[in-house]
Coordinates of all heavy atoms in Angstrom, one line a residue:
M23 N -21.0 25.4 5.0 CA -19.8 24.5 5.1 C -19.5 23.9 3.7 O -18.4 23.9 3.2 CB -19.9 23.5 6.2 CG -18.7 22.8 6.6 SD -18.8 21.7 7.9 CE -19.5 22.6 9.2
N24 N -20.6 23.3 3.2 CA -20.4 22.6 1.9 C -20.0 23.6 0.8 O -19.2 23.2 -0.1 CB -21.7 21.9 1.5 CG -22.0 20.7 2.3 OD1 -21.1 20.1 2.9 ND2 -23.3 20.4 2.4
A25 N -20.5 24.8 0.8 CA -20.1 25.8 -0.2 C -18.6 26.1 -0.1 O -17.9 26.2 -1.1 CB -21.0 27.0 -0.1
A26 N -18.2 26.3 1.1 CA -16.7 26.6 1.4 C -15.8 25.5 0.9 O -14.8 25.7 0.2 CB -16.5 26.9 2.8
V27 N -16.2 24.2 1.2 CA -15.4 23.1 0.8 C -15.4 22.9 -0.7 O -14.4 22.5 -1.3 CB -15.8 21.8 1.5 CG1 -15.2 20.6 1.0 CG2 -15.5 22.0 3.0
S28 N -16.6 23.2 -1.3 CA -16.7 23.0 -2.8 C -15.8 23.9 -3.6 O -15.5 23.7 -4.7 CB -18.2 23.1 -3.2 OG -18.6 24.4 -3.2
E29 N -15.4 25.0 -3.0 CA -14.6 26.0 -3.6 C -13.1 25.7 -3.5 O -12.3 26.4 -4.2 CB -14.8 27.4 -3.1 CG -16.2 27.9 -3.3 CD -16.6 28.1 -4.8 OE1 -15.7 28.6 -5.5 OE2 -17.7 27.7 -5.1
V30 N -12.8 24.7 -2.8 CA -11.3 24.4 -2.5 C -10.7 23.8 -3.8 O -11.3 23.0 -4.5 CB -11.2 23.4 -1.4 CG1 -9.8 22.8 -1.2 CG2 -11.6 24.0 0.0
R31 N -9.5 24.3 -4.0 CA -8.7 23.7 -5.1 C -7.3 23.5 -4.6 O -6.8 24.2 -3.7 CB -8.6 24.7 -6.3 CG -9.9 25.1 -6.9 CD -10.5 24.0 -7.6 NE -11.7 24.4 -8.3 CZ -12.9 24.2 -7.8 NH1 -13.1 23.8 -6.6 NH2 -14.0 24.6 -8.5
G32 N -6.7 22.4 -5.1 CA -5.3 22.1 -4.8 C -4.5 22.1 -6.2 O -5.2 21.9 -7.2
N33 N -3.3 22.4 -6.1 CA -2.5 22.4 -7.4 C -1.1 21.8 -7.2 O -0.6 21.7 -6.1 CB -2.5 23.8 -8.0 CG -1.8 24.8 -7.1 OD1 -0.6 24.6 -6.8 ND2 -2.5 25.7 -6.6
S34 N -0.5 21.5 -8.4 CA 0.8 21.0 -8.3 C 1.4 21.2 -9.7 O 0.7 21.1 -10.7 CB 0.8 19.5 -8.0 OG 2.1 19.0 -8.0
R35 N 2.7 21.5 -9.7 CA 3.5 21.7 -11.0 C 4.7 20.7 -10.9 O 5.3 20.6 -9.9 CB 3.9 23.1 -11.1 CG 4.7 23.4 -12.4 CD 5.1 24.9 -12.5 NE 4.0 25.8 -12.4 CZ 3.2 26.2 -13.3 NH1 3.4 25.6 -14.5 NH2 2.2 27.0 -13.1
S36 N 4.9 20.1 -12.0 CA 6.0 19.1 -12.1 C 7.3 19.9 -11.9 O 7.4 21.1 -12.1 CB 6.0 18.4 -13.5 OG 6.2 19.3 -14.5
A37 N 8.4 19.2 -11.5 CA 9.7 19.8 -11.2 C 10.2 20.6 -12.4 O 10.8 21.6 -12.2 CB 10.7 18.7 -10.7
D38 N 10.0 20.0 -13.6 CA 10.5 20.7 -14.8 C 9.6 21.8 -15.3 O 9.9 22.5 -16.3 CB 10.8 19.7 -15.9 CG 9.5 19.0 -16.5 OD1 8.4 19.3 -16.0 OD2 9.7 18.2 -17.4
G39 N 8.4 22.0 -14.6 CA 7.5 23.0 -15.0 C 6.6 22.7 -16.2 O 5.8 23.5 -16.7
G40 N 6.7 21.5 -16.7 CA 6.0 21.1 -17.9 C 4.6 20.8 -17.8 O 3.8 20.8 -18.7
V41 N 4.2 20.4 -16.5 CA 2.8 20.0 -16.3 C 2.3 20.7 -15.0 O 3.0 20.7 -14.0 CB 2.7 18.5 -16.1 CG1 1.3 18.1 -15.7 CG2 3.1 17.8 -17.4
Y42 N 1.1 21.3 -15.1 CA 0.4 21.9 -14.0 C -1.0 21.3 -13.9 O -1.7 21.3 -14.9 CB 0.4 23.4 -14.2 CG -0.5 24.1 -13.2 CD1 0.0 24.5 -12.0 CD2 -1.8 24.4 -13.4 CE1 -0.8 25.2 -11.0 CE2 -2.6 25.0 -12.5 CZ -2.1 25.4 -11.3 OH -2.9 26.0 -10.3
V43 N -1.3 20.9 -12.7 CA -2.7 20.3 -12.5 C -3.3 21.0 -11.3 O -2.7 21.2 -10.3 CB -2.6 18.8 -12.3 CG1 -4.0 18.3 -12.0 CG2 -2.0 18.1 -13.5
E44 N -4.6 21.4 -11.5 CA -5.4 21.9 -10.4 C -6.6 20.9 -10.3 O -7.2 20.5 -11.3 CB -5.9 23.3 -10.7 CG -6.8 23.9 -9.7 CD -7.3 25.2 -10.1 OE1 -6.7 26.2 -9.9 OE2 -8.5 25.2 -10.7
A45 N -6.9 20.6 -9.0 CA -8.0 19.6 -8.8 C -8.8 20.1 -7.6 O -8.3 20.9 -6.7 CB -7.5 18.2 -8.4
D46 N -10.1 19.7 -7.6 CA -10.9 20.1 -6.4 C -10.9 18.9 -5.4 O -10.2 18.0 -5.6 CB -12.4 20.4 -6.9 CG -13.1 19.2 -7.4 OD1 -12.7 18.0 -7.3 OD2 -14.2 19.4 -8.1
A47 N -11.6 19.1 -4.3 CA -11.6 18.2 -3.2 C -12.2 16.8 -3.5 O -12.0 15.9 -2.7 CB -12.2 18.8 -1.9
R48 N -12.9 16.7 -4.6 CA -13.5 15.4 -5.1 C -12.5 14.7 -6.0 O -12.8 13.6 -6.4 CB -14.8 15.6 -5.7 CG -15.9 16.1 -4.8 CD -17.2 16.3 -5.6 NE -16.8 17.0 -6.9 CZ -17.5 17.9 -7.4 NH1 -18.6 18.3 -6.9 NH2 -17.2 18.5 -8.6
G49 N -11.5 15.4 -6.4 CA -10.5 14.8 -7.4 C -10.7 15.2 -8.8 O -9.9 14.8 -9.7
T50 N -11.7 16.0 -9.1 CA -11.9 16.5 -10.5 C -10.9 17.4 -10.9 O -10.5 18.4 -10.1 CB -13.3 17.1 -10.6 OG1 -14.3 16.2 -10.1 CG2 -13.6 17.6 -12.0
I51 N -10.3 17.2 -12.0 CA -9.3 18.2 -12.6 C -10.0 19.4 -13.0 O -10.9 19.3 -13.9 CB -8.5 17.5 -13.7 CG1 -7.6 16.4 -13.2 CG2 -7.6 18.6 -14.4 CD1 -6.9 15.6 -14.2
T52 N -9.7 20.5 -12.5 CA -10.3 21.8 -12.8 C -9.4 22.7 -13.7 O -9.9 23.6 -14.3 CB -10.7 22.6 -11.6 OG1 -9.5 22.8 -10.8 CG2 -11.7 21.8 -10.7
A53 N -8.2 22.3 -13.8 CA -7.2 23.0 -14.8 C -6.1 22.1 -15.1 O -5.6 21.4 -14.2 CB -6.7 24.3 -14.2
L54 N -5.7 22.1 -16.3 CA -4.5 21.3 -16.8 C -3.8 22.1 -17.8 O -4.3 22.5 -18.8 CB -5.0 20.0 -17.3 CG -4.0 19.0 -18.0 CD1 -3.0 18.6 -16.9 CD2 -4.6 17.8 -18.6
Y55 N -2.5 22.3 -17.5 CA -1.6 23.0 -18.5 C -0.4 22.1 -18.8 O 0.2 21.6 -17.9 CB -1.2 24.4 -17.9 CG -2.3 25.3 -17.6 CD1 -2.8 25.4 -16.3 CD2 -3.0 26.0 -18.6 CE1 -3.8 26.2 -16.0 CE2 -4.0 26.8 -18.3 CZ -4.5 26.9 -17.0 OH -5.5 27.7 -16.7
I56 N -0.2 22.0 -20.1 CA 0.9 21.1 -20.5 C 1.8 21.9 -21.4 O 1.3 22.4 -22.5 CB 0.4 19.9 -21.2 CG1 -0.5 19.0 -20.3 CG2 1.6 19.0 -21.7 CD1 -1.2 17.9 -20.9
E57 N 3.0 22.2 -21.1 CA 4.0 22.9 -22.0 C 4.3 21.9 -23.1 O 4.4 20.7 -22.9 CB 5.2 23.3 -21.2 CG 5.0 24.3 -20.1 CD 4.6 25.6 -20.6 OE1 4.9 26.0 -21.8 OE2 3.9 26.4 -19.8
P58 N 4.5 22.5 -24.3 CA 4.8 21.6 -25.5 C 6.0 20.7 -25.3 O 6.0 19.6 -25.7 CB 5.1 22.7 -26.6 CG 4.3 23.9 -26.2 CD 4.4 23.9 -24.7
Y59 N 7.0 21.2 -24.5 CA 8.2 20.3 -24.4 C 8.0 19.1 -23.4 O 8.8 18.2 -23.4 CB 9.4 21.2 -23.8 CG 9.2 21.7 -22.4 CD1 9.4 21.0 -21.3 CD2 8.7 23.0 -22.3 CE1 9.2 21.5 -20.0 CE2 8.5 23.6 -21.0 CZ 8.8 22.8 -19.9 OH 8.6 23.3 -18.6
A60 N 6.9 19.1 -22.7 CA 6.6 18.0 -21.8 C 6.4 16.7 -22.5 O 6.6 15.6 -21.9 CB 5.3 18.3 -21.0
L61 N 6.1 16.7 -23.8 CA 5.9 15.5 -24.6 C 7.2 15.0 -25.2 O 7.2 13.8 -25.7 CB 4.8 15.7 -25.7 CG 4.3 14.5 -26.4 CD1 3.8 13.4 -25.5 CD2 3.3 14.9 -27.4
E62 N 8.2 15.7 -25.1 CA 9.5 15.3 -25.7 C 10.0 14.0 -25.2 O 10.7 13.3 -25.9 CB 10.5 16.4 -25.6 CG 10.2 17.7 -26.4 CD 11.2 18.8 -26.2 OE1 12.1 18.7 -25.3 OE2 11.0 19.9 -26.8
A63 N 9.8 13.7 -23.9 CA 10.3 12.5 -23.3 C 9.3 11.3 -23.6 O 9.6 10.2 -23.1 CB 10.5 12.6 -21.8
G64 N 8.3 11.5 -24.3 CA 7.3 10.5 -24.7 C 6.0 10.5 -24.0 O 5.9 11.2 -22.9
A65 N 5.0 9.9 -24.6 CA 3.7 9.9 -24.1 C 3.5 9.3 -22.8 O 2.8 9.7 -21.9 CB 2.7 9.3 -25.1
R66 N 4.2 8.2 -22.6 CA 4.1 7.5 -21.3 C 4.7 8.3 -20.1 O 4.1 8.4 -19.1 CB 4.9 6.1 -21.3 CG 4.9 5.3 -20.1 CD 3.5 4.8 -19.8 NE 3.6 4.1 -18.5 CZ 2.6 4.0 -17.7 NH1 1.5 4.6 -17.9 NH2 2.7 3.3 -16.6
R67 N 5.8 9.0 -20.4 CA 6.3 9.9 -19.3 C 5.3 11.1 -19.0 O 5.1 11.4 -17.9 CB 7.6 10.5 -19.7 CG 8.2 11.4 -18.6 CD 9.7 11.6 -18.7 NE 10.3 12.4 -17.6 CZ 9.9 13.5 -17.1 NH1 8.8 14.1 -17.5 NH2 10.6 14.1 -16.1
L68 N 4.7 11.6 -20.1 CA 3.7 12.7 -19.9 C 2.5 12.1 -19.1 O 2.0 12.8 -18.2 CB 3.2 13.2 -21.2 CG 2.2 14.3 -21.2 CD1 2.6 15.5 -20.3 CD2 1.8 14.7 -22.6
E69 N 2.1 10.9 -19.4 CA 1.0 10.3 -18.7 C 1.3 10.2 -17.2 O 0.5 10.5 -16.3 CB 0.7 8.9 -19.3 CG -0.4 8.1 -18.6 CD -0.5 6.7 -19.1 OE1 -0.1 6.5 -20.3 OE2 -0.9 5.8 -18.3
L70 N 2.5 9.7 -16.9 CA 2.9 9.6 -15.5 C 3.0 10.9 -14.8 O 2.6 11.1 -13.6 CB 4.2 8.8 -15.4 CG 4.2 7.4 -15.8 CD1 5.6 6.8 -15.9 CD2 3.3 6.6 -14.9
L71 N 3.5 11.9 -15.5 CA 3.6 13.3 -14.9 C 2.3 13.8 -14.6 O 2.0 14.4 -13.5 CB 4.3 14.3 -15.9 CG 5.8 14.4 -15.9 CD1 6.3 15.3 -17.0 CD2 6.3 14.9 -14.5
I72 N 1.3 13.7 -15.5 CA 0.0 14.2 -15.2 C -0.6 13.4 -14.1 O -1.2 14.0 -13.2 CB -0.9 14.0 -16.5 CG1 -0.4 15.0 -17.6 CG2 -2.4 14.3 -16.2 CD1 -1.1 14.7 -18.9
A73 N -0.5 12.1 -14.0 CA -1.1 11.3 -12.9 C -0.4 11.7 -11.6 O -1.2 11.9 -10.6 CB -0.9 9.8 -13.2
D74 N 0.9 11.9 -11.6 CA 1.5 12.3 -10.3 C 1.1 13.6 -9.9 O 0.9 13.8 -8.7 CB 3.1 12.2 -10.5 CG 3.7 10.9 -10.5 OD1 3.0 9.9 -10.1 OD2 4.8 10.7 -10.9
Q75 N 1.1 14.6 -10.8 CA 0.7 15.9 -10.4 C -0.8 16.0 -10.0 O -1.2 16.7 -9.0 CB 0.9 16.9 -11.5 CG 2.4 17.0 -11.9 CD 3.4 17.1 -10.7 OE1 3.3 17.9 -9.8 NE2 4.3 16.1 -10.7
H76 N -1.6 15.2 -10.6 CA -3.0 15.1 -10.2 C -3.1 14.5 -8.7 O -3.9 15.1 -7.9 CB -3.9 14.2 -11.1 CG -5.2 14.0 -10.6 ND1 -5.7 12.8 -10.1 CD2 -6.3 14.9 -10.6 CE1 -6.9 12.9 -9.7 NE2 -7.4 14.2 -10.0
R77 N -2.4 13.5 -8.5 CA -2.4 12.9 -7.1 C -2.0 13.9 -6.1 O -2.6 14.0 -5.0 CB -1.5 11.7 -7.1 CG -1.4 11.0 -5.7 CD -0.4 9.8 -5.7 NE 0.9 10.2 -6.3 CZ 1.8 10.9 -5.7 NH1 1.7 11.3 -4.5 NH2 3.0 11.1 -6.3
I78 N -1.0 14.7 -6.3 CA -0.5 15.7 -5.4 C -1.5 16.8 -5.3 O -1.9 17.3 -4.1 CB 0.9 16.3 -5.9 CG1 1.9 15.2 -5.8 CG2 1.3 17.5 -5.0 CD1 3.2 15.5 -6.5
A79 N -2.1 17.3 -6.4 CA -3.1 18.4 -6.3 C -4.3 18.0 -5.6 O -4.8 18.7 -4.8 CB -3.4 18.8 -7.8
Y80 N -4.8 16.7 -5.8 CA -5.9 16.2 -5.2 C -5.7 16.1 -3.7 O -6.5 16.5 -2.8 CB -6.3 14.9 -5.8 CG -7.4 14.1 -5.1 CD1 -8.6 14.8 -4.7 CD2 -7.4 12.7 -5.0 CE1 -9.6 14.1 -4.1 CE2 -8.4 12.0 -4.5 CZ -9.5 12.7 -4.0 OH -10.6 12.0 -3.5
G81 N -4.5 15.6 -3.3 CA -4.1 15.5 -1.9 C -4.1 16.9 -1.2 O -4.6 17.0 -0.1
N82 N -3.6 17.9 -1.9 CA -3.5 19.2 -1.4 C -4.9 19.8 -1.2 O -5.2 20.4 -0.2 CB -2.7 20.2 -2.3 CG -1.3 19.9 -2.3 OD1 -0.7 19.2 -1.4 ND2 -0.6 20.3 -3.4
A83 N -5.8 19.5 -2.1 CA -7.2 20.0 -2.0 C -7.9 19.3 -0.9 O -8.7 19.9 -0.1 CB -8.0 19.7 -3.3
Q84 N -7.7 18.0 -0.7 CA -8.3 17.2 0.4 C -7.9 17.8 1.7 O -8.7 18.0 2.6 CB -8.0 15.8 0.3 CG -8.8 15.0 -0.8 CD -8.5 13.6 -0.8 OE1 -7.4 13.2 -0.7 NE2 -9.6 12.8 -0.8
A85 N -6.6 18.0 1.8 CA -6.0 18.6 3.1 C -6.6 19.9 3.4 O -7.0 20.2 4.6 CB -4.5 18.6 3.0
E86 N -6.8 20.8 2.4 CA -7.3 22.1 2.6 C -8.8 22.0 3.0 O -9.3 22.7 3.8 CB -7.1 23.0 1.4 CG -7.7 24.4 1.5 CD -7.1 25.2 2.6 OE1 -6.1 24.9 3.2 OE2 -7.6 26.3 2.9
A87 N -9.5 21.1 2.3 CA -11.0 20.9 2.6 C -11.1 20.4 4.0 O -12.0 20.9 4.7 CB -11.6 20.0 1.6
E88 N -10.3 19.5 4.4 CA -10.4 19.0 5.8 C -10.1 20.1 6.8 O -10.7 20.2 7.8 CB -9.4 17.9 6.0 CG -9.5 17.1 7.3 CD -8.7 15.9 7.3 OE1 -8.7 15.1 6.3 OE2 -7.9 15.7 8.3
R89 N -9.1 21.0 6.5 CA -8.8 22.1 7.4 C -10.0 23.0 7.5 O -10.3 23.4 8.6 CB -7.5 22.8 6.9 CG -7.1 23.9 7.8 CD -6.1 24.9 7.1 NE -6.7 25.7 6.1 CZ -7.5 26.7 6.3 NH1 -7.8 27.1 7.5 NH2 -8.0 27.4 5.3
I90 N -10.6 23.4 6.4 CA -11.7 24.3 6.4 C -12.9 23.6 7.2 O -13.5 24.3 8.0 CB -12.1 24.6 5.0 CG1 -11.1 25.6 4.4 CG2 -13.5 25.3 4.9 CD1 -11.3 25.8 2.9
Y91 N -13.2 22.3 6.9 CA -14.2 21.6 7.6 C -14.0 21.7 9.1 O -15.0 22.0 9.8 CB -14.4 20.2 7.0 CG -15.5 19.4 7.7 CD1 -16.8 19.5 7.2 CD2 -15.2 18.6 8.7 CE1 -17.8 18.8 7.8 CE2 -16.2 17.9 9.3 CZ -17.5 18.0 8.8 OH -18.5 17.3 9.4
T92 N -12.8 21.3 9.5 CA -12.5 21.3 10.9 C -12.7 22.7 11.5 O -13.3 22.9 12.6 CB -11.1 20.8 11.2 OG1 -11.0 19.5 10.7 CG2 -10.7 20.8 12.7
E93 N -12.2 23.7 10.9 CA -12.3 25.1 11.4 C -13.7 25.5 11.5 O -14.2 26.1 12.5 CB -11.5 26.0 10.4 CG -11.5 27.5 10.9 CD -10.7 28.3 9.9 OE1 -9.5 28.1 9.8 OE2 -11.3 29.2 9.3
L94 N -14.5 25.3 10.5 CA -15.9 25.7 10.5 C -16.7 24.8 11.5 O -17.7 25.3 12.1 CB -16.6 25.5 9.1 CG -16.0 26.5 8.0 CD1 -16.6 26.3 6.7 CD2 -16.3 28.0 8.5
S95 N -16.4 23.6 11.7 CA -17.1 22.7 12.6 C -16.8 23.2 14.1 O -17.7 23.2 14.9 CB -16.6 21.3 12.5 OG -17.0 20.7 11.3
Q96 N -15.7 23.7 14.3 CA -15.3 24.2 15.7 C -16.1 25.5 15.9 O -16.4 25.8 17.1 CB -13.8 24.5 15.8 CG -13.1 23.2 15.9 CD -11.6 23.4 15.8 OE1 -11.1 24.5 15.6 NE2 -10.8 22.3 16.0
D97 N -16.3 26.3 14.9 CA -17.0 27.6 15.0 C -18.5 27.4 15.0 O -19.2 28.4 15.4 CB -16.6 28.5 13.9 CG -15.2 29.0 14.0 OD1 -14.6 28.8 15.1 OD2 -14.7 29.5 13.0
A98 N -19.0 26.3 14.6 CA -20.5 26.1 14.5 C -21.1 25.9 15.9 O -20.5 25.3 16.8 CB -20.8 24.8 13.7
P99 N -22.3 26.5 16.1 CA -23.0 26.4 17.4 C -23.4 24.9 17.6 O -23.7 24.2 16.6 CB -24.2 27.3 17.3 CG -24.4 27.6 15.8 CD -23.0 27.3 15.2
T100 N -23.3 24.4 18.8 CA -23.7 23.1 19.0 C -25.2 23.0 19.5 O -25.7 24.0 20.1 CB -22.9 22.4 20.1 OG1 -23.0 23.3 21.3 CG2 -21.4 22.4 19.7
R101 N -25.9 21.9 19.1 CA -27.3 21.7 19.5 C -27.3 21.0 20.9 O -26.5 20.1 21.2 CB -28.0 20.9 18.5 CG -28.3 21.5 17.3 CD -29.2 20.7 16.5 NE -29.1 20.9 15.1 CZ -29.7 20.2 14.2 NH1 -30.4 19.2 14.5 NH2 -29.5 20.5 12.9
R102 N -28.2 21.4 21.7 CA -28.4 20.8 23.0 C -29.8 20.3 23.0 O -30.8 21.0 22.6 CB -28.2 21.8 24.1 CG -26.7 22.3 24.1 CD -26.4 22.9 25.4 NE -25.1 23.7 25.2 CZ -24.0 23.2 25.7 NH1 -23.9 22.2 26.4 NH2 -22.9 23.9 25.5
S103 N -30.0 19.1 23.5 CA -31.3 18.5 23.6 C -32.1 19.0 24.9 O -31.6 19.3 25.9 CB -31.2 17.0 23.7 OG -30.5 16.5 22.7

């Protein structure tokens, strides 16, 4: 179960396509792509875009990890005393 969840990734791309973030279910960024034009609106806007896309990617990864955990938990044999 832990191995399956550890492989989960979520991703998000900004509406303008300038920022792409991939994160795992712990919130670690596993991929980050920034198009050169993404900085044209300034560093602060780029910072906010990265943070927003990370939040979305992390949320997507958490939701997928939860789905997998629930699915595998239902399939797991139960112990009886």
Side-chain angles (χ1 to χ4, degrees):
M23 193 176 307
N24 288 335
V27 170
S28 71
E29 296 297 318
V30 170
R31 300 291 184 267
N33 61 65
S34 182
R35 182 178 303 277
S36 62
D38 68 357
V41 173
Y42 171 87
V43 177
E44 179 185 273
D46 66 17
R48 293 179 317 220
T50 302
I51 294 175
T52 56
L54 174 64
Y55 300 100
I56 302 170
E57 295 293 338
Y59 65 83
L61 190 54
E62 290 174 1
R66 178 67 180 147
R67 180 162 187 310
L68 178 58
E69 176 187 336
L70 293 172
L71 272 175
I72 293 169
D74 284 345
Q75 298 317 303
H76 174 255
R77 179 183 47 78
I78 294 167
Y80 176 38
N82 291 341
Q84 284 183 311
E86 179 64 9
E88 190 172 310
R89 185 193 68 74
I90 289 170
Y91 180 83
T92 300
E93 184 178 296
L94 293 176
S95 294
Q96 290 172 351
D97 292 342
T100 57
R101 287 192 206 172
R102 299 194 192 254
S103 305

